[in-house]
Amino acid sequence: MSTARPTDPRTADPRTADPRTADPRTTDPRTTDGAFDAVDVIRTKRDGGQLSDGQIRWFIDAYTRGAIADEQASAMTMAIFWRGLEPDELATWTAAMIASGERLDLRSVGRPTVDKHSTGGVGDKVSLVLCPLVAACGAAVPQLSGRGLGHTGGTLDKMEAIAGWRAQLTNEQLVAQLRDVGAVICAAGAGLAPADRKLYALRDVTATVESIPLIASSIMSKKIAEGTGALVLDVKYGSGAFLPDPERGRELARTMVALGEAHGVRTSALLTAMESPLGIAAGNALEVQEALDCLAGGGPDDLRTLTVELAREMLRMAGIAGGPDPADLLAGGAAMDRWRALVAAQGGDPTAPLPLAVEREVLTAPADGFLTRLDARAVGVAAWRLGAGRARKEDPVSPVAGVRCLARPGDAVRAGQPLLELHLDDAARLPGALAALAGAYAISPAPPDPDTLAPLVLDRIGG
Ligand code: URA
């Protein structure tokens, strides 16, 4: 029996250390069948070591195939959460996630392709307006989207509030619609980055979502695999964002821009505010209605401004800036035709009325003054508890549930004036939503200093 004490892998000399724990760049601890040992790979990252390309590729492939257990993958994601990934590890991790499935080829679409991805926010219905708007400007927009989980809504859940609209398209239907309409909003097919599908579900239940390398590889593997030629990232900061601190948002943006460029996708990012909800509505049908108002040339200022900024950036990244300004097209209602064509092409009825909630509850201002704060996360959680979002990914969502914010930070308000309107179809959900909104807003006698209001677009990264 050996009496040797285990070697501390953080301090061991890799030339003499136990091969199970040594630096894998100097010692390749493969088993005889060519695989690595999952426990060795996890231990290396747990102890702050650097993973080899071979280890990373093997780990992602084996997990996707089911040869690595969920508990081992969750240990690995927790190790990455604490230890991070070096840039070359992250590049390999992302490449392995892309290689876990197919990569679409959109060259036959015949126009420059450009997509937008938001890191998630409350009331973020920008995609519904932006996709037809950028198509109306001459690009093709493959807006492959997800469902909401937690306090941020998902684009597909919003679109499914439209009677008949379907999220699932085959790759052939996607390409044909991009060619004919120029705009598609649909679910990412099961063949795109299947490693991320498994890893993201695991991270969601193991508190390992808020990690820059894991978020960056998750988002970028899907966006690179979808085949877009250019990409604009809307990275949120503020209370409703995954990463509230703008510095962490900036770091995430830089990391994703570098990954996109390394894979030949022209990528840039805007760092944008998610301190208060975007626009007025948070909730599925309520947000579709607000998007329609915007497509008709109206809608809330912040939604219109952000959509136009993102559209200009997308056209620049697609190499087709210089035509009509998206602000003019939006104001003139030109994107509405593309919207109707998009909805109809996916089985929806663009003329059908949107569903409405049977019950409403109004919260009023307790005093005269100015609204100085309206917390995005609290409004998102309230909408979610009313039924607009899901607790588990298999849960249904209510199309009608949500919150309308009837005053915005900076607005003067009078005592008794409606501030928030809660929409619901299940009265049992109201107490939880009201609890989420306790302390969600502040009213002060003086207007807020404009310098304390978060700028809508704080920075641009890359491009
Ligand atoms: N969205 C994703 O697709 N992945 C993440 O990790 C976080 C947000």
Side-chain angles (χ1 to χ4, degrees):
M1 185 180 145
S2 167
T3 53
R5 288 157 57 107
T7 313
D8 182 346
R10 290 163 294 190
T11 52
D13 178 343
R15 288 162 303 184
T16 56
D18 179 338
R20 289 167 306 167
T21 55
D23 181 346
R25 284 168 184 263
T26 51
T27 309
D28 193 356
R30 259 180 248 230
T31 58
T32 47
D33 67 353
F36 291 88
D37 182 279
V39 177
D40 276 339
V41 180
I42 297 164
R43 185 185 292 118
T44 299
K45 186 41 68 183
R46 181 199 71 186
D47 293 341
Q50 182 153 354
L51 300 173
S52 69
D53 286 355
Q55 285 177 312
I56 293 171
R57 288 185 198 284
W58 171 78
F59 194 93
I60 295 287
D61 177 59
Y63 181 54
T64 309
R65 285 187 284 110
I68 285 180
D70 277 347
E71 54 269 31
Q72 292 178 309
S74 44
M76 178 61 111
T77 54
M78 189 57 87
I80 292 173
F81 182 93
W82 285 110
R83 296 295 193 173
L85 289 174
E86 294 298 323
D88 52 345
E89 289 178 298
L90 177 60
T92 306
W93 183 274
T94 309
M97 286 177 53
I98 298 166
S100 71
E102 59 184 333
R103 187 168 175 178
L104 299 185
D105 182 350
L106 301 180
R107 281 173 300 184
S108 66
V109 163
R111 306 185 226 185
T113 51
V114 57
D115 192 7
K116 184 273 306 185
H117 180 86
S118 156
T119 57
V122 178
D124 185 357
K125 68 282 292 173
V126 164
S127 292
L128 279 59
V129 186
L130 187 63
C131 179
L133 174 61
V134 173
C137 295
V141 186
Q143 180 75 68
L144 271 53
S145 305
R147 296 182 188 283
L149 200 62
H151 73 280
T152 63
T155 296
L156 300 181
D157 296 327
K158 296 170 202 189
M159 293 295 292
E160 281 175 348
I162 301 167
W165 185 86
R166 59 168 198 278
Q168 306 294 337
L169 295 184
T170 63
N171 292 347
E172 292 69 30
Q173 288 168 328
L174 164 70
V175 171
Q177 189 173 324
L178 279 177
R179 219 181 281 128
D180 298 344
V181 180
V184 173
I185 298 176
C186 69
L192 290 187
D196 180 62
R197 203 169 287 266
K198 286 188 80 176
L199 276 172
Y200 190 71
L202 194 70
R203 287 166 56 214
D204 195 48
V205 293
T206 55
T208 51
V209 170
E210 302 91 341
S211 148
I212 288 179
L214 292 176
I215 297 175
S217 55
S218 163
I219 292 174
M220 294 309 291
S221 61
K222 287 175 288 206
K223 288 291 154 184
I224 293 165
E226 89 181 13
T228 187
L231 176 66
V232 174
L233 299 159
D234 180 3
V235 178
K236 302 291 187 192
Y237 74 95
S239 83
F242 271 123
L243 300 176
D245 172 21
E247 274 320 306
R248 298 254 294 152
R250 200 174 266 119
E251 191 188 335
L252 174 63
R254 281 198 206 105
T255 306
M256 291 196 290
V257 166
L259 285 174
E261 295 290 342
H263 285 271
V265 179
R266 282 200 71 192
T267 308
S268 70
L270 301 186
L271 189 60
T272 76
M274 188 33 68
E275 204 63 67
S276 312
L278 186 66
I280 289 170
N284 300 313
L286 293 174
E287 292 192 46
V288 175
Q289 185 54 58
E290 193 167 286
L292 288 171
D293 296 344
C294 198
L295 285 163
D301 286 350
D302 59 344
L303 174 61
R304 254 198 339 267
T305 303
L306 181 57
T307 304
V308 166
E309 288 295 322
L310 287 165
R312 289 180 183 144
E313 186 67 11
M314 286 170 76
L315 296 174
R316 211 171 63 77
M317 296 308 283
I320 53 172
D325 185 27
D328 298 332
L329 290 186
L330 192 59
M336 185 63 103
D337 291 343
R338 297 292 171 137
W339 163 263
R340 293 198 183 108
L342 178 162
V343 170
Q346 293 179 236
D349 178 357
T351 63
L354 290 164
L356 289 172
V358 284
E359 286 201 45
R360 296 188 193 181
E361 175 83 13
V362 174
L363 304 189
T364 56
D368 290 355
F370 293 86
L371 187 67
T372 50
R373 188 172 65 81
L374 178 61
D375 185 74
R377 181 171 293 262
V379 172
V381 172
W384 174 56
R385 289 188 181 168
L386 289 171
R390 51 175 68 77
R392 292 167 307 149
K393 64 180 187 317
E394 48 286 345
D395 291 346
V397 296
S398 160
V400 300
V403 178
R404 292 183 74 232
C405 306
L406 305 176
R408 310 277 311 149
D411 286 356
V413 296
R414 307 299 304 256
Q417 173 182 331
L419 284 187
L420 294 165
E421 188 180 69
L422 281 59
H423 289 229
L424 61 157
D425 51 9
D426 176 359
R429 292 178 170 274
L430 186 58
L434 292 175
L437 291 170
Y441 53 86
I443 293 174
S444 305
D449 175 352
D451 291 344
T452 64
L453 297 176
L456 186 58
V457 180
L458 184 64
D459 204 355
R460 188 174 76 188
I461 293 109

PDB file of all heavy atoms in Angstrom, residues 117-119 196 200 203 209 214-216 218-219 222 242, ligand 1:
ATOM      1  N   HIS A 117     -28.590  39.649 -30.928  1.00  0.00           N
ATOM      2  CA  HIS A 117     -28.890  38.838 -29.740  1.00  0.00           C
ATOM      3  C   HIS A 117     -28.850  39.738 -28.509  1.00  0.00           C
ATOM      4  O   HIS A 117     -27.903  40.503 -28.317  1.00  0.00           O
ATOM      5  CB  HIS A 117     -27.867  37.711 -29.565  1.00  0.00           C
ATOM      6  CG  HIS A 117     -28.153  36.878 -28.350  1.00  0.00           C
ATOM      7  ND1 HIS A 117     -29.025  35.815 -28.377  1.00  0.00           N
ATOM      8  CD2 HIS A 117     -27.729  36.989 -27.071  1.00  0.00           C
ATOM      9  CE1 HIS A 117     -29.127  35.299 -27.162  1.00  0.00           C
ATOM     10  NE2 HIS A 117     -28.340  35.992 -26.353  1.00  0.00           N
ATOM     11  N   SER A 118     -29.889  39.629 -27.676  1.00  0.00           N
ATOM     12  CA  SER A 118     -29.897  40.374 -26.413  1.00  0.00           C
ATOM     13  C   SER A 118     -29.595  39.412 -25.285  1.00  0.00           C
ATOM     14  O   SER A 118     -30.059  38.262 -25.300  1.00  0.00           O
ATOM     15  CB  SER A 118     -31.281  40.994 -26.219  1.00  0.00           C
ATOM     16  OG  SER A 118     -31.509  41.238 -24.851  1.00  0.00           O
ATOM     17  N   THR A 119     -28.819  39.882 -24.305  1.00  0.00           N
ATOM     18  CA  THR A 119     -28.519  39.005 -23.172  1.00  0.00           C
ATOM     19  C   THR A 119     -29.716  38.887 -22.227  1.00  0.00           C
ATOM     20  O   THR A 119     -29.633  38.199 -21.225  1.00  0.00           O
ATOM     21  CB  THR A 119     -27.268  39.487 -22.401  1.00  0.00           C
ATOM     22  OG1 THR A 119     -27.491  40.831 -21.971  1.00  0.00           O
ATOM     23  CG2 THR A 119     -26.025  39.405 -23.239  1.00  0.00           C
ATOM     24  N   ASP A 196     -24.887  22.987 -26.010  1.00  0.00           N
ATOM     25  CA  ASP A 196     -25.384  24.116 -25.209  1.00  0.00           C
ATOM     26  C   ASP A 196     -26.761  23.824 -24.636  1.00  0.00           C
ATOM     27  O   ASP A 196     -27.068  24.218 -23.512  1.00  0.00           O
ATOM     28  CB  ASP A 196     -25.432  25.398 -26.040  1.00  0.00           C
ATOM     29  CG  ASP A 196     -25.960  26.545 -25.181  1.00  0.00           C
ATOM     30  OD1 ASP A 196     -25.288  26.866 -24.189  1.00  0.00           O
ATOM     31  OD2 ASP A 196     -27.050  27.056 -25.462  1.00  0.00           O
ATOM     32  N   TYR A 200     -26.881  24.388 -20.854  1.00  0.00           N
ATOM     33  CA  TYR A 200     -27.640  25.527 -20.334  1.00  0.00           C
ATOM     34  C   TYR A 200     -28.707  25.060 -19.355  1.00  0.00           C
ATOM     35  O   TYR A 200     -28.908  25.664 -18.295  1.00  0.00           O
ATOM     36  CB  TYR A 200     -28.273  26.335 -21.485  1.00  0.00           C
ATOM     37  CG  TYR A 200     -28.848  27.632 -20.977  1.00  0.00           C
ATOM     38  CD1 TYR A 200     -28.001  28.658 -20.572  1.00  0.00           C
ATOM     39  CD2 TYR A 200     -30.200  27.809 -20.844  1.00  0.00           C
ATOM     40  CE1 TYR A 200     -28.513  29.840 -20.053  1.00  0.00           C
ATOM     41  CE2 TYR A 200     -30.723  28.985 -20.328  1.00  0.00           C
ATOM     42  CZ  TYR A 200     -29.868  30.000 -19.941  1.00  0.00           C
ATOM     43  OH  TYR A 200     -30.361  31.156 -19.422  1.00  0.00           O
ATOM     44  N   ARG A 203     -26.909  24.325 -16.154  1.00  0.00           N
ATOM     45  CA  ARG A 203     -26.461  25.541 -15.455  1.00  0.00           C
ATOM     46  C   ARG A 203     -27.636  26.230 -14.779  1.00  0.00           C
ATOM     47  O   ARG A 203     -27.497  26.801 -13.696  1.00  0.00           O
ATOM     48  CB  ARG A 203     -25.806  26.501 -16.459  1.00  0.00           C
ATOM     49  CG  ARG A 203     -24.431  26.034 -16.906  1.00  0.00           C
ATOM     50  CD  ARG A 203     -23.983  26.820 -18.126  1.00  0.00           C
ATOM     51  NE  ARG A 203     -24.002  28.243 -17.883  1.00  0.00           N
ATOM     52  CZ  ARG A 203     -24.306  29.151 -18.803  1.00  0.00           C
ATOM     53  NH1 ARG A 203     -24.603  28.796 -20.036  1.00  0.00           N
ATOM     54  NH2 ARG A 203     -24.295  30.429 -18.494  1.00  0.00           N
ATOM     55  N   VAL A 209     -25.195  29.990 -14.083  1.00  0.00           N
ATOM     56  CA  VAL A 209     -25.485  30.798 -15.279  1.00  0.00           C
ATOM     57  C   VAL A 209     -24.556  32.015 -15.340  1.00  0.00           C
ATOM     58  O   VAL A 209     -23.988  32.335 -16.385  1.00  0.00           O
ATOM     59  CB  VAL A 209     -26.968  31.246 -15.308  1.00  0.00           C
ATOM     60  CG1 VAL A 209     -27.210  32.274 -16.388  1.00  0.00           C
ATOM     61  CG2 VAL A 209     -27.876  30.035 -15.534  1.00  0.00           C
ATOM     62  N   LEU A 214     -18.988  31.018 -19.567  1.00  0.00           N
ATOM     63  CA  LEU A 214     -20.099  30.104 -19.869  1.00  0.00           C
ATOM     64  C   LEU A 214     -21.213  30.816 -20.626  1.00  0.00           C
ATOM     65  O   LEU A 214     -21.810  30.253 -21.555  1.00  0.00           O
ATOM     66  CB  LEU A 214     -20.628  29.452 -18.581  1.00  0.00           C
ATOM     67  CG  LEU A 214     -19.651  28.475 -17.902  1.00  0.00           C
ATOM     68  CD1 LEU A 214     -20.226  27.953 -16.593  1.00  0.00           C
ATOM     69  CD2 LEU A 214     -19.293  27.310 -18.823  1.00  0.00           C
ATOM     70  N   ILE A 215     -21.503  32.066 -20.271  1.00  0.00           N
ATOM     71  CA  ILE A 215     -22.532  32.823 -21.021  1.00  0.00           C
ATOM     72  C   ILE A 215     -22.025  33.065 -22.446  1.00  0.00           C
ATOM     73  O   ILE A 215     -22.743  32.853 -23.428  1.00  0.00           O
ATOM     74  CB  ILE A 215     -22.859  34.172 -20.348  1.00  0.00           C
ATOM     75  CG1 ILE A 215     -23.456  33.980 -18.951  1.00  0.00           C
ATOM     76  CG2 ILE A 215     -23.822  34.980 -21.209  1.00  0.00           C
ATOM     77  CD1 ILE A 215     -23.693  35.288 -18.184  1.00  0.00           C
ATOM     78  N   ALA A 216     -20.770  33.518 -22.550  1.00  0.00           N
ATOM     79  CA  ALA A 216     -20.235  33.880 -23.875  1.00  0.00           C
ATOM     80  C   ALA A 216     -20.222  32.668 -24.803  1.00  0.00           C
ATOM     81  O   ALA A 216     -20.642  32.748 -25.962  1.00  0.00           O
ATOM     82  CB  ALA A 216     -18.828  34.461 -23.720  1.00  0.00           C
ATOM     83  N   SER A 218     -22.019  29.965 -24.587  1.00  0.00           N
ATOM     84  CA  SER A 218     -23.381  29.501 -24.821  1.00  0.00           C
ATOM     85  C   SER A 218     -24.038  30.331 -25.934  1.00  0.00           C
ATOM     86  O   SER A 218     -24.567  29.798 -26.917  1.00  0.00           O
ATOM     87  CB  SER A 218     -24.167  29.629 -23.504  1.00  0.00           C
ATOM     88  OG  SER A 218     -25.546  29.575 -23.719  1.00  0.00           O
ATOM     89  N   ILE A 219     -23.971  31.647 -25.790  1.00  0.00           N
ATOM     90  CA  ILE A 219     -24.616  32.517 -26.779  1.00  0.00           C
ATOM     91  C   ILE A 219     -23.913  32.400 -28.133  1.00  0.00           C
ATOM     92  O   ILE A 219     -24.553  32.208 -29.171  1.00  0.00           O
ATOM     93  CB  ILE A 219     -24.613  33.984 -26.282  1.00  0.00           C
ATOM     94  CG1 ILE A 219     -25.535  34.124 -25.064  1.00  0.00           C
ATOM     95  CG2 ILE A 219     -25.013  34.945 -27.401  1.00  0.00           C
ATOM     96  CD1 ILE A 219     -25.508  35.492 -24.398  1.00  0.00           C
ATOM     97  N   LYS A 222     -24.343  29.210 -30.385  1.00  0.00           N
ATOM     98  CA  LYS A 222     -25.614  29.143 -31.126  1.00  0.00           C
ATOM     99  C   LYS A 222     -25.623  30.131 -32.288  1.00  0.00           C
ATOM    100  O   LYS A 222     -26.083  29.830 -33.382  1.00  0.00           O
ATOM    101  CB  LYS A 222     -26.787  29.451 -30.180  1.00  0.00           C
ATOM    102  CG  LYS A 222     -27.070  28.312 -29.217  1.00  0.00           C
ATOM    103  CD  LYS A 222     -28.146  28.661 -28.219  1.00  0.00           C
ATOM    104  CE  LYS A 222     -27.688  29.653 -27.187  1.00  0.00           C
ATOM    105  NZ  LYS A 222     -28.341  29.642 -25.906  1.00  0.00           N
ATOM    106  N   PHE A 242     -28.635  39.890 -16.442  1.00  0.00           N
ATOM    107  CA  PHE A 242     -27.914  38.760 -15.840  1.00  0.00           C
ATOM    108  C   PHE A 242     -26.705  39.259 -15.058  1.00  0.00           C
ATOM    109  O   PHE A 242     -26.368  38.746 -14.007  1.00  0.00           O
ATOM    110  CB  PHE A 242     -27.343  37.852 -16.948  1.00  0.00           C
ATOM    111  CG  PHE A 242     -28.264  36.778 -17.391  1.00  0.00           C
ATOM    112  CD1 PHE A 242     -28.636  36.676 -18.719  1.00  0.00           C
ATOM    113  CD2 PHE A 242     -28.751  35.849 -16.503  1.00  0.00           C
ATOM    114  CE1 PHE A 242     -29.476  35.678 -19.151  1.00  0.00           C
ATOM    115  CE2 PHE A 242     -29.592  34.836 -16.927  1.00  0.00           C
ATOM    116  CZ  PHE A 242     -29.955  34.755 -18.255  1.00  0.00           C
TER     117      PHE A 242
HETATM  118  N1  URA B   1     -28.496  33.200 -22.837  1.00  0.00           N
HETATM  119  C1  URA B   1     -27.910  32.098 -23.350  1.00  0.00           C
HETATM  120  O1  URA B   1     -28.228  31.650 -24.439  1.00  0.00           O
HETATM  121  N2  URA B   1     -26.938  31.513 -22.623  1.00  0.00           N
HETATM  122  C2  URA B   1     -26.546  31.966 -21.414  1.00  0.00           C
HETATM  123  O2  URA B   1     -25.660  31.386 -20.827  1.00  0.00           O
HETATM  124  C3  URA B   1     -27.171  33.110 -20.895  1.00  0.00           C
HETATM  125  C4  URA B   1     -28.152  33.712 -21.635  1.00  0.00           C
END
